[in-house]
PDB file of all heavy atoms in Angstrom:
ATOM      1  N   PRO Q 139      -3.554  16.211   9.969  1.00 89.00           N
ATOM      2  CA  PRO Q 139      -2.364  15.548   9.412  1.00 89.00           C
ATOM      3  C   PRO Q 139      -1.545  14.844  10.502  1.00 89.00           C
ATOM      4  O   PRO Q 139      -0.404  15.208  10.776  1.00 89.00           O
ATOM      5  CB  PRO Q 139      -1.595  16.721   8.793  1.00 89.00           C
ATOM      6  CG  PRO Q 139      -1.985  17.897   9.619  1.00 89.00           C
ATOM      7  CD  PRO Q 139      -3.375  17.655  10.142  1.00 89.00           C
ATOM      8  N   ASP Q 140      -2.173  13.815  11.094  1.00 95.00           N
ATOM      9  CA  ASP Q 140      -1.498  13.128  12.194  1.00 95.00           C
ATOM     10  C   ASP Q 140      -0.791  11.855  11.761  1.00 95.00           C
ATOM     11  O   ASP Q 140      -0.230  11.121  12.569  1.00 95.00           O
ATOM     12  CB  ASP Q 140      -2.482  12.826  13.340  1.00 95.00           C
ATOM     13  CG  ASP Q 140      -3.688  12.029  12.846  1.00 95.00           C
ATOM     14  OD1 ASP Q 140      -3.774  11.736  11.633  1.00 95.00           O
ATOM     15  OD2 ASP Q 140      -4.547  11.688  13.679  1.00 95.00           O
ATOM     16  N   VAL Q 141      -0.816  11.574  10.440  1.00 97.00           N
ATOM     17  CA  VAL Q 141      -0.113  10.411   9.886  1.00 97.00           C
ATOM     18  C   VAL Q 141       0.687  10.860   8.680  1.00 97.00           C
ATOM     19  O   VAL Q 141       0.183  11.619   7.846  1.00 97.00           O
ATOM     20  CB  VAL Q 141      -1.106   9.315   9.416  1.00 97.00           C
ATOM     21  CG1 VAL Q 141      -0.358   8.083   8.922  1.00 97.00           C
ATOM     22  CG2 VAL Q 141      -2.097   8.953  10.481  1.00 97.00           C
ATOM     23  N   GLU Q 142       1.922  10.407   8.579  1.00 96.00           N
ATOM     24  CA  GLU Q 142       2.704  10.686   7.389  1.00 96.00           C
ATOM     25  C   GLU Q 142       2.272   9.685   6.315  1.00 96.00           C
ATOM     26  O   GLU Q 142       2.246   8.478   6.560  1.00 96.00           O
ATOM     27  CB  GLU Q 142       4.183  10.540   7.680  1.00 96.00           C
ATOM     28  CG  GLU Q 142       4.657  11.606   8.649  1.00 96.00           C
ATOM     29  CD  GLU Q 142       6.167  11.675   8.693  1.00 96.00           C
ATOM     30  OE1 GLU Q 142       6.752  12.229   7.739  1.00 96.00           O
ATOM     31  OE2 GLU Q 142       6.739  11.149   9.640  1.00 96.00           O
ATOM     32  N   VAL Q 143       1.920  10.226   5.137  1.00 97.00           N
ATOM     33  CA  VAL Q 143       1.325   9.388   4.088  1.00 97.00           C
ATOM     34  C   VAL Q 143       2.153   9.452   2.807  1.00 97.00           C
ATOM     35  O   VAL Q 143       2.584  10.518   2.388  1.00 97.00           O
ATOM     36  CB  VAL Q 143      -0.123   9.853   3.794  1.00 97.00           C
ATOM     37  CG1 VAL Q 143      -0.678   9.193   2.529  1.00 97.00           C
ATOM     38  CG2 VAL Q 143      -1.039   9.557   4.990  1.00 97.00           C
ATOM     39  N   LEU Q 144       2.323   8.285   2.218  1.00 97.00           N
ATOM     40  CA  LEU Q 144       2.820   8.167   0.859  1.00 97.00           C
ATOM     41  C   LEU Q 144       1.695   7.545   0.056  1.00 97.00           C
ATOM     42  O   LEU Q 144       1.182   6.490   0.424  1.00 97.00           O
ATOM     43  CB  LEU Q 144       4.059   7.250   0.819  1.00 97.00           C
ATOM     44  CG  LEU Q 144       4.484   6.741  -0.567  1.00 97.00           C
ATOM     45  CD1 LEU Q 144       4.992   7.874  -1.441  1.00 97.00           C
ATOM     46  CD2 LEU Q 144       5.553   5.652  -0.444  1.00 97.00           C
ATOM     47  N   LEU Q 145       1.283   8.210  -1.031  1.00 98.00           N
ATOM     48  CA  LEU Q 145       0.234   7.664  -1.889  1.00 98.00           C
ATOM     49  C   LEU Q 145       0.851   6.835  -3.005  1.00 98.00           C
ATOM     50  O   LEU Q 145       1.890   7.220  -3.549  1.00 98.00           O
ATOM     51  CB  LEU Q 145      -0.547   8.810  -2.555  1.00 98.00           C
ATOM     52  CG  LEU Q 145      -1.539   9.589  -1.709  1.00 98.00           C
ATOM     53  CD1 LEU Q 145      -2.027  10.795  -2.513  1.00 98.00           C
ATOM     54  CD2 LEU Q 145      -2.710   8.712  -1.305  1.00 98.00           C
ATOM     55  N   SER Q 146       0.197   5.744  -3.376  1.00 98.00           N
ATOM     56  CA  SER Q 146       0.660   4.997  -4.544  1.00 98.00           C
ATOM     57  C   SER Q 146      -0.526   4.324  -5.213  1.00 98.00           C
ATOM     58  O   SER Q 146      -1.582   4.169  -4.602  1.00 98.00           O
ATOM     59  CB  SER Q 146       1.713   3.952  -4.137  1.00 98.00           C
ATOM     60  OG  SER Q 146       1.136   2.976  -3.306  1.00 98.00           O
ATOM     61  N   SER Q 147      -0.318   3.950  -6.468  1.00 98.00           N
ATOM     62  CA  SER Q 147      -1.353   3.186  -7.177  1.00 98.00           C
ATOM     63  C   SER Q 147      -0.799   2.640  -8.484  1.00 98.00           C
ATOM     64  O   SER Q 147       0.112   3.241  -9.083  1.00 98.00           O
ATOM     65  CB  SER Q 147      -2.572   4.058  -7.487  1.00 98.00           C
ATOM     66  OG  SER Q 147      -3.634   3.271  -7.980  1.00 98.00           O
ATOM     67  N   PHE Q 148      -1.361   1.503  -8.911  1.00 98.00           N
ATOM     68  CA  PHE Q 148      -1.097   1.015 -10.256  1.00 98.00           C
ATOM     69  C   PHE Q 148      -1.898   1.856 -11.262  1.00 98.00           C
ATOM     70  O   PHE Q 148      -1.627   1.801 -12.464  1.00 98.00           O
ATOM     71  CB  PHE Q 148      -1.524  -0.450 -10.389  1.00 98.00           C
ATOM     72  CG  PHE Q 148      -0.639  -1.447  -9.694  1.00 98.00           C
ATOM     73  CD1 PHE Q 148      -0.998  -2.015  -8.490  1.00 98.00           C
ATOM     74  CD2 PHE Q 148       0.573  -1.807 -10.262  1.00 98.00           C
ATOM     75  CE1 PHE Q 148      -0.180  -2.945  -7.848  1.00 98.00           C
ATOM     76  CE2 PHE Q 148       1.419  -2.748  -9.640  1.00 98.00           C
ATOM     77  CZ  PHE Q 148       1.031  -3.303  -8.430  1.00 98.00           C
ATOM     78  N   SER Q 149      -2.894   2.554 -10.779  1.00 98.00           N
ATOM     79  CA  SER Q 149      -3.763   3.348 -11.645  1.00 98.00           C
ATOM     80  C   SER Q 149      -3.316   4.804 -11.694  1.00 98.00           C
ATOM     81  O   SER Q 149      -3.422   5.528 -10.696  1.00 98.00           O
ATOM     82  CB  SER Q 149      -5.215   3.257 -11.147  1.00 98.00           C
ATOM     83  OG  SER Q 149      -5.977   4.294 -11.743  1.00 98.00           O
ATOM     84  N   ALA Q 150      -2.867   5.242 -12.846  1.00 98.00           N
ATOM     85  CA  ALA Q 150      -2.458   6.639 -13.007  1.00 98.00           C
ATOM     86  C   ALA Q 150      -3.657   7.548 -12.800  1.00 98.00           C
ATOM     87  O   ALA Q 150      -3.536   8.636 -12.219  1.00 98.00           O
ATOM     88  CB  ALA Q 150      -1.861   6.844 -14.392  1.00 98.00           C
ATOM     89  N   ASP Q 151      -4.838   7.124 -13.251  1.00 98.00           N
ATOM     90  CA  ASP Q 151      -6.044   7.963 -13.103  1.00 98.00           C
ATOM     91  C   ASP Q 151      -6.373   8.168 -11.623  1.00 98.00           C
ATOM     92  O   ASP Q 151      -6.729   9.265 -11.201  1.00 98.00           O
ATOM     93  CB  ASP Q 151      -7.240   7.314 -13.804  1.00 98.00           C
ATOM     94  CG  ASP Q 151      -7.099   7.353 -15.306  1.00 98.00           C
ATOM     95  OD1 ASP Q 151      -6.267   8.118 -15.809  1.00 98.00           O
ATOM     96  OD2 ASP Q 151      -7.827   6.586 -15.994  1.00 98.00           O
ATOM     97  N   ALA Q 152      -6.245   7.098 -10.837  1.00 98.00           N
ATOM     98  CA  ALA Q 152      -6.540   7.203  -9.405  1.00 98.00           C
ATOM     99  C   ALA Q 152      -5.534   8.121  -8.723  1.00 98.00           C
ATOM    100  O   ALA Q 152      -5.894   8.972  -7.896  1.00 98.00           O
ATOM    101  CB  ALA Q 152      -6.492   5.810  -8.765  1.00 98.00           C
ATOM    102  N   LEU Q 153      -4.301   7.987  -9.121  1.00 98.00           N
ATOM    103  CA  LEU Q 153      -3.230   8.797  -8.518  1.00 98.00           C
ATOM    104  C   LEU Q 153      -3.436  10.284  -8.842  1.00 98.00           C
ATOM    105  O   LEU Q 153      -3.313  11.153  -7.973  1.00 98.00           O
ATOM    106  CB  LEU Q 153      -1.902   8.303  -9.076  1.00 98.00           C
ATOM    107  CG  LEU Q 153      -0.668   8.283  -8.208  1.00 98.00           C
ATOM    108  CD1 LEU Q 153      -0.931   7.723  -6.814  1.00 98.00           C
ATOM    109  CD2 LEU Q 153       0.436   7.482  -8.899  1.00 98.00           C
ATOM    110  N   GLU Q 154      -3.806  10.538 -10.082  1.00 98.00           N
ATOM    111  CA  GLU Q 154      -4.036  11.941 -10.497  1.00 98.00           C
ATOM    112  C   GLU Q 154      -5.225  12.542  -9.750  1.00 98.00           C
ATOM    113  O   GLU Q 154      -5.163  13.674  -9.282  1.00 98.00           O
ATOM    114  CB  GLU Q 154      -4.327  12.004 -11.996  1.00 98.00           C
ATOM    115  CG  GLU Q 154      -3.085  12.237 -12.809  1.00 98.00           C
ATOM    116  CD  GLU Q 154      -3.395  12.459 -14.281  1.00 98.00           C
ATOM    117  OE1 GLU Q 154      -4.204  11.703 -14.844  1.00 98.00           O
ATOM    118  OE2 GLU Q 154      -2.801  13.400 -14.865  1.00 98.00           O
ATOM    119  N   ALA Q 155      -6.278  11.753  -9.597  1.00 98.00           N
ATOM    120  CA  ALA Q 155      -7.479  12.267  -8.913  1.00 98.00           C
ATOM    121  C   ALA Q 155      -7.159  12.560  -7.453  1.00 98.00           C
ATOM    122  O   ALA Q 155      -7.625  13.560  -6.894  1.00 98.00           O
ATOM    123  CB  ALA Q 155      -8.625  11.246  -9.025  1.00 98.00           C
ATOM    124  N   ALA Q 156      -6.370  11.704  -6.820  1.00 98.00           N
ATOM    125  CA  ALA Q 156      -5.991  11.943  -5.412  1.00 98.00           C
ATOM    126  C   ALA Q 156      -5.073  13.170  -5.324  1.00 98.00           C
ATOM    127  O   ALA Q 156      -5.252  14.024  -4.444  1.00 98.00           O
ATOM    128  CB  ALA Q 156      -5.299  10.713  -4.846  1.00 98.00           C
ATOM    129  N   ALA Q 157      -4.125  13.247  -6.246  1.00 97.00           N
ATOM    130  CA  ALA Q 157      -3.135  14.336  -6.191  1.00 97.00           C
ATOM    131  C   ALA Q 157      -3.780  15.705  -6.358  1.00 97.00           C
ATOM    132  O   ALA Q 157      -3.295  16.698  -5.807  1.00 97.00           O
ATOM    133  CB  ALA Q 157      -2.068  14.132  -7.257  1.00 97.00           C
ATOM    134  N   GLN Q 158      -4.905  15.753  -7.066  1.00 97.00           N
ATOM    135  CA  GLN Q 158      -5.614  17.041  -7.200  1.00 97.00           C
ATOM    136  C   GLN Q 158      -6.081  17.554  -5.843  1.00 97.00           C
ATOM    137  O   GLN Q 158      -6.171  18.749  -5.621  1.00 97.00           O
ATOM    138  CB  GLN Q 158      -6.816  16.893  -8.124  1.00 97.00           C
ATOM    139  CG  GLN Q 158      -6.435  16.960  -9.584  1.00 97.00           C
ATOM    140  CD  GLN Q 158      -7.614  16.641 -10.501  1.00 97.00           C
ATOM    141  OE1 GLN Q 158      -8.773  16.753 -10.087  1.00 97.00           O
ATOM    142  NE2 GLN Q 158      -7.322  16.219 -11.709  1.00 97.00           N
ATOM    143  N   ARG Q 159      -6.415  16.627  -4.921  1.00 98.00           N
ATOM    144  CA  ARG Q 159      -6.919  17.025  -3.598  1.00 98.00           C
ATOM    145  C   ARG Q 159      -5.788  17.200  -2.581  1.00 98.00           C
ATOM    146  O   ARG Q 159      -5.942  18.010  -1.659  1.00 98.00           O
ATOM    147  CB  ARG Q 159      -7.900  15.974  -3.054  1.00 98.00           C
ATOM    148  CG  ARG Q 159      -9.319  16.134  -3.573  1.00 98.00           C
ATOM    149  CD  ARG Q 159      -9.472  15.559  -4.957  1.00 98.00           C
ATOM    150  NE  ARG Q 159     -10.730  15.895  -5.577  1.00 98.00           N
ATOM    151  CZ  ARG Q 159     -11.035  15.561  -6.851  1.00 98.00           C
ATOM    152  NH1 ARG Q 159     -10.169  14.872  -7.587  1.00 98.00           N
ATOM    153  NH2 ARG Q 159     -12.175  15.921  -7.361  1.00 98.00           N
ATOM    154  N   VAL Q 160      -4.735  16.461  -2.722  1.00 97.00           N
ATOM    155  CA  VAL Q 160      -3.616  16.549  -1.763  1.00 97.00           C
ATOM    156  C   VAL Q 160      -2.290  16.625  -2.558  1.00 97.00           C
ATOM    157  O   VAL Q 160      -1.468  15.712  -2.516  1.00 97.00           O
ATOM    158  CB  VAL Q 160      -3.603  15.342  -0.774  1.00 97.00           C
ATOM    159  CG1 VAL Q 160      -4.587  15.546   0.357  1.00 97.00           C
ATOM    160  CG2 VAL Q 160      -3.903  14.018  -1.467  1.00 97.00           C
ATOM    161  N   PRO Q 161      -2.112  17.768  -3.249  1.00 97.00           N
ATOM    162  CA  PRO Q 161      -0.926  17.859  -4.143  1.00 97.00           C
ATOM    163  C   PRO Q 161       0.402  17.781  -3.410  1.00 97.00           C
ATOM    164  O   PRO Q 161       1.420  17.485  -4.028  1.00 97.00           O
ATOM    165  CB  PRO Q 161      -1.118  19.231  -4.813  1.00 97.00           C
ATOM    166  CG  PRO Q 161      -2.102  19.963  -3.969  1.00 97.00           C
ATOM    167  CD  PRO Q 161      -2.958  18.960  -3.288  1.00 97.00           C
ATOM    168  N   ASP Q 162       0.384  18.084  -2.122  1.00 95.00           N
ATOM    169  CA  ASP Q 162       1.669  18.117  -1.408  1.00 95.00           C
ATOM    170  C   ASP Q 162       2.106  16.767  -0.868  1.00 95.00           C
ATOM    171  O   ASP Q 162       3.245  16.639  -0.368  1.00 95.00           O
ATOM    172  CB  ASP Q 162       1.602  19.120  -0.236  1.00 95.00           C
ATOM    173  CG  ASP Q 162       1.409  20.538  -0.774  1.00 95.00           C
ATOM    174  OD1 ASP Q 162       1.794  20.787  -1.933  1.00 95.00           O
ATOM    175  OD2 ASP Q 162       0.848  21.368  -0.032  1.00 95.00           O
ATOM    176  N   LEU Q 163       1.243  15.763  -0.925  1.00 96.00           N
ATOM    177  CA  LEU Q 163       1.674  14.454  -0.422  1.00 96.00           C
ATOM    178  C   LEU Q 163       2.565  13.757  -1.441  1.00 96.00           C
ATOM    179  O   LEU Q 163       2.289  13.790  -2.645  1.00 96.00           O
ATOM    180  CB  LEU Q 163       0.452  13.554  -0.157  1.00 96.00           C
ATOM    181  CG  LEU Q 163      -0.420  13.899   1.048  1.00 96.00           C
ATOM    182  CD1 LEU Q 163      -1.476  12.805   1.243  1.00 96.00           C
ATOM    183  CD2 LEU Q 163       0.413  14.049   2.299  1.00 96.00           C
ATOM    184  N   PRO Q 164       3.614  13.090  -0.967  1.00 97.00           N
ATOM    185  CA  PRO Q 164       4.452  12.326  -1.910  1.00 97.00           C
ATOM    186  C   PRO Q 164       3.642  11.205  -2.544  1.00 97.00           C
ATOM    187  O   PRO Q 164       2.738  10.645  -1.905  1.00 97.00           O
ATOM    188  CB  PRO Q 164       5.582  11.791  -1.024  1.00 97.00           C
ATOM    189  CG  PRO Q 164       5.094  11.886   0.366  1.00 97.00           C
ATOM    190  CD  PRO Q 164       4.080  12.999   0.422  1.00 97.00           C
ATOM    191  N   ARG Q 165       3.949  10.909  -3.785  1.00 97.00           N
ATOM    192  CA  ARG Q 165       3.222   9.832  -4.461  1.00 97.00           C
ATOM    193  C   ARG Q 165       4.142   9.029  -5.382  1.00 97.00           C
ATOM    194  O   ARG Q 165       5.132   9.552  -5.883  1.00 97.00           O
ATOM    195  CB  ARG Q 165       2.017  10.375  -5.223  1.00 97.00           C
ATOM    196  CG  ARG Q 165       2.329  11.478  -6.191  1.00 97.00           C
ATOM    197  CD  ARG Q 165       1.043  12.112  -6.733  1.00 97.00           C
ATOM    198  NE  ARG Q 165       1.324  13.144  -7.703  1.00 97.00           N
ATOM    199  CZ  ARG Q 165       1.587  14.426  -7.370  1.00 97.00           C
ATOM    200  NH1 ARG Q 165       1.578  14.813  -6.127  1.00 97.00           N
ATOM    201  NH2 ARG Q 165       1.846  15.304  -8.334  1.00 97.00           N
ATOM    202  N   ALA Q 166       3.742   7.779  -5.570  1.00 98.00           N
ATOM    203  CA  ALA Q 166       4.552   6.873  -6.391  1.00 98.00           C
ATOM    204  C   ALA Q 166       3.637   6.096  -7.331  1.00 98.00           C
ATOM    205  O   ALA Q 166       2.548   5.663  -6.939  1.00 98.00           O
ATOM    206  CB  ALA Q 166       5.321   5.897  -5.506  1.00 98.00           C
ATOM    207  N   LEU Q 167       4.107   5.922  -8.553  1.00 98.00           N
ATOM    208  CA  LEU Q 167       3.398   5.067  -9.502  1.00 98.00           C
ATOM    209  C   LEU Q 167       3.887   3.634  -9.293  1.00 98.00           C
ATOM    210  O   LEU Q 167       5.111   3.402  -9.195  1.00 98.00           O
ATOM    211  CB  LEU Q 167       3.690   5.523 -10.936  1.00 98.00           C
ATOM    212  CG  LEU Q 167       2.996   4.712 -12.034  1.00 98.00           C
ATOM    213  CD1 LEU Q 167       1.477   4.876 -11.983  1.00 98.00           C
ATOM    214  CD2 LEU Q 167       3.519   5.117 -13.420  1.00 98.00           C
ATOM    215  N   LEU Q 168       2.936   2.711  -9.203  1.00 98.00           N
ATOM    216  CA  LEU Q 168       3.277   1.288  -9.042  1.00 98.00           C
ATOM    217  C   LEU Q 168       3.267   0.612 -10.401  1.00 98.00           C
ATOM    218  O   LEU Q 168       2.313   0.794 -11.174  1.00 98.00           O
ATOM    219  CB  LEU Q 168       2.208   0.627  -8.186  1.00 98.00           C
ATOM    220  CG  LEU Q 168       2.454   0.444  -6.690  1.00 98.00           C
ATOM    221  CD1 LEU Q 168       1.117   0.165  -6.003  1.00 98.00           C
ATOM    222  CD2 LEU Q 168       3.425  -0.695  -6.427  1.00 98.00           C
ATOM    223  N   VAL Q 169       4.285  -0.159 -10.683  1.00 98.00           N
ATOM    224  CA  VAL Q 169       4.270  -1.005 -11.889  1.00 98.00           C
ATOM    225  C   VAL Q 169       4.888  -2.347 -11.525  1.00 98.00           C
ATOM    226  O   VAL Q 169       5.734  -2.435 -10.634  1.00 98.00           O
ATOM    227  CB  VAL Q 169       5.033  -0.372 -13.092  1.00 98.00           C
ATOM    228  CG1 VAL Q 169       4.307   0.839 -13.653  1.00 98.00           C
ATOM    229  CG2 VAL Q 169       6.452  -0.015 -12.716  1.00 98.00           C
ATOM    230  N   GLU Q 170       4.449  -3.382 -12.239  1.00 98.00           N
ATOM    231  CA  GLU Q 170       5.015  -4.700 -11.927  1.00 98.00           C
ATOM    232  C   GLU Q 170       6.475  -4.790 -12.340  1.00 98.00           C
ATOM    233  O   GLU Q 170       7.274  -5.417 -11.660  1.00 98.00           O
ATOM    234  CB  GLU Q 170       4.193  -5.794 -12.625  1.00 98.00           C
ATOM    235  CG  GLU Q 170       2.881  -6.063 -11.894  1.00 98.00           C
ATOM    236  CD  GLU Q 170       2.035  -7.094 -12.586  1.00 98.00           C
ATOM    237  OE1 GLU Q 170       2.566  -7.848 -13.444  1.00 98.00           O
ATOM    238  OE2 GLU Q 170       0.829  -7.134 -12.267  1.00 98.00           O
TER     239      GLU Q 170
END
Side-chain angles (χ1 to χ4, degrees):
D140 55 358
V141 184
E142 294 194 76
V143 169
L144 165 67
L145 285 172
S146 64
S147 189
F148 287 103
S149 164
D151 290 344
L153 215 45
E154 267 187 315
Q158 278 173 22
R159 277 81 190 175
V160 279
D162 295 335
L163 288 186
R165 54 189 183 274
L167 180 66
L168 263 163
V169 290
E170 283 178 16

